[in-house]
């Protein structure tokens, strides 16, 4: 049973560029959440997708957007990259019919130069 | 406001010694509580969780945690630490209902284990 998979694992961008990160949830899960983990910090909630709609959103600007596909996979898009967007981006999946336990992928490490 | 405090940024213990990592939370609703572990360059692995019922919960790798509502705490313990336990540990809080699946994390405690 495959867990949560994310791609790419590492990427480097320059300021002002745009990036797309991808996530496939654990089998049987229908809900995907994205978190940003800056160096030396705990993960911070960006947003959550369920039934292809954004269900909840954290305190992140509109430059951060997402999408969920019919197969429950998800993308995180960040426009107009800033140096401060350098972080580990974690995808987590869950089934909302359960008690909300999150299963995390290994993350995409984004470096903005 | 929802928040999690892990007061110890870095803890060092000797292999075989006991361990306690502290976690205090602030949350308006009945909380779900979690401990996750993160090895360098890796994602988060769930150690244990508390949803309801018995306030002492057992997790993987010999870890346990106790929920104390009166103290708003959920401290993680292990009676005998192994060198492989060296990692970063995160406490997190969430809730049922419309915010299910949204977790608030502490800033983490880095554990170093001396041989």
């Amino acid at each position: 049973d495959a867990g949560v998979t994310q791609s790419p694992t590492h990427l480097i961008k320059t300021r002002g560029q745009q990036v797309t990160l991808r996530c496939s949830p654990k089998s049987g899960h229908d809900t995907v959440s994205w978190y940003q983990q800056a160096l030396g910090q705990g993960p911070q909630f960006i947003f959550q997708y369920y039934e292809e709609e954004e269900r909840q959103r954290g305190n992140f600007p509109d430059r951060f957007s997402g999408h969920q596909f019919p197969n429950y996979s998800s993308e995180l898009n960040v426009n107009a990259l800033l140096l401060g967007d350098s972080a580990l981006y974690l995808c987590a999946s869950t089934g909302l019919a359960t008690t909300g336990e999150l299963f995390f992928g290994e993350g995409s490490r984004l470096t903005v130069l | 406001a929802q928040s999690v405090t892990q007061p110890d940024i870095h803890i060092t213990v000797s292999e075989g010694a006991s361990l306690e990592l502290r976690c205090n939370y602030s949350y308006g609703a009945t909380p779900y509580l979690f401990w996750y572990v993160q090895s360098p360059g890796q994602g988060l692995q769930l150690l244990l969780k508390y949803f309801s019922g018995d306030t002492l919960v057992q997790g993987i790798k010999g870890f346990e945690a106790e929920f104390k509502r009166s103290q708003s705490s959920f401290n993680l313990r292990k009676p005998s630490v192994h060198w492989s336990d060296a990692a970063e540990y995160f406490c997190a809080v969430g809730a049922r209902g419309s915010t299910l699946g949204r977790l608030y994390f502490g800033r983490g405690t880095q554990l170093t284990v001396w041989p």
Side-chain angles (χ1 to χ4, degrees), chain B residues 32-103:
Chain B
Y32 290 163
L33 293 157
F34 306 84
W35 275 99
Y36 284 88
V37 61
Q38 185 177 39
S39 297
Q42 301 294 310
L44 301 173
Q45 181 184 20
L46 180 69
L47 284 176
L48 48 77
K49 58 186 183 287
Y50 171 79
F51 291 145
S52 64
D54 192 349
T55 56
L56 183 64
V57 294
Q58 302 296 321
I60 63 172
K61 305 183 180 183
F63 285 93
E64 66 177 27
E66 186 171 12
F67 170 54
K68 293 185 178 180
R69 185 185 300 273
S70 62
Q71 299 177 19
S72 297
S73 69
F74 189 57
N75 294 347
L76 181 71
R77 299 192 295 250
K78 186 170 185 178
S80 178
V81 171
H82 188 263
W83 64 266
S84 61
D85 294 325
E88 186 138 31
Y89 291 79
F90 292 94
C91 181
V93 64
R96 62 201 77 190
S98 62
T99 61
L100 188 67
R102 175 176 183 170
L103 298 187

Side-chain angles (χ1 to χ4, degrees), chain A residues 33 35 37 40-43 45 48 55-59 88 90 94 96 98-106, chain B residues 32 34 36 38 41-46 49 51 88 90 95-108:
Chain A
S33 301
Y35 287 79
Q37 186 179 17
Q41 301 295 318
F45 177 79
Q48 181 185 77
R55 191 169 183 269
Q56 305 181 61
R57 189 178 182 91
N59 188 25
L88 181 67
L90 295 164
T94 188
L96 281 188
T98 67
T99 47
E101 175 181 338
L102 296 182
F103 290 80
F104 283 85
E106 296 197 347
Chain B
Y32 290 163
F34 306 84
Y36 284 88
Q38 185 177 39
Q42 301 294 310
L44 301 173
Q45 181 184 20
L46 180 69
K49 58 186 183 287
F51 291 145
E88 186 138 31
F90 292 94
R96 62 201 77 190
S98 62
T99 61
L100 188 67
R102 175 176 183 170
L103 298 187
Y104 295 85
F105 285 84
R107 63 174 298 169

Side-chain angles (χ1 to χ4, degrees), chain A residues 46-92:
Chain A
I46 303 175
F47 44 53
Q48 181 185 77
Y49 276 83
Y50 173 68
E51 292 188 340
E52 302 179 48
E53 297 285 335
E54 184 182 287
R55 191 169 183 269
Q56 305 181 61
R57 189 178 182 91
N59 188 25
F60 279 80
D62 292 345
R63 298 187 297 110
F64 289 77
S65 63
H67 189 77
Q68 186 179 34
F69 299 93
N71 66 353
Y72 307 123
S73 66
S74 177
E75 289 182 349
L76 165 66
N77 300 290
V78 187
N79 295 321
L81 285 168
L82 304 174
L83 296 179
D85 294 332
S86 295
L88 181 67
Y89 288 85
L90 295 164
C91 173

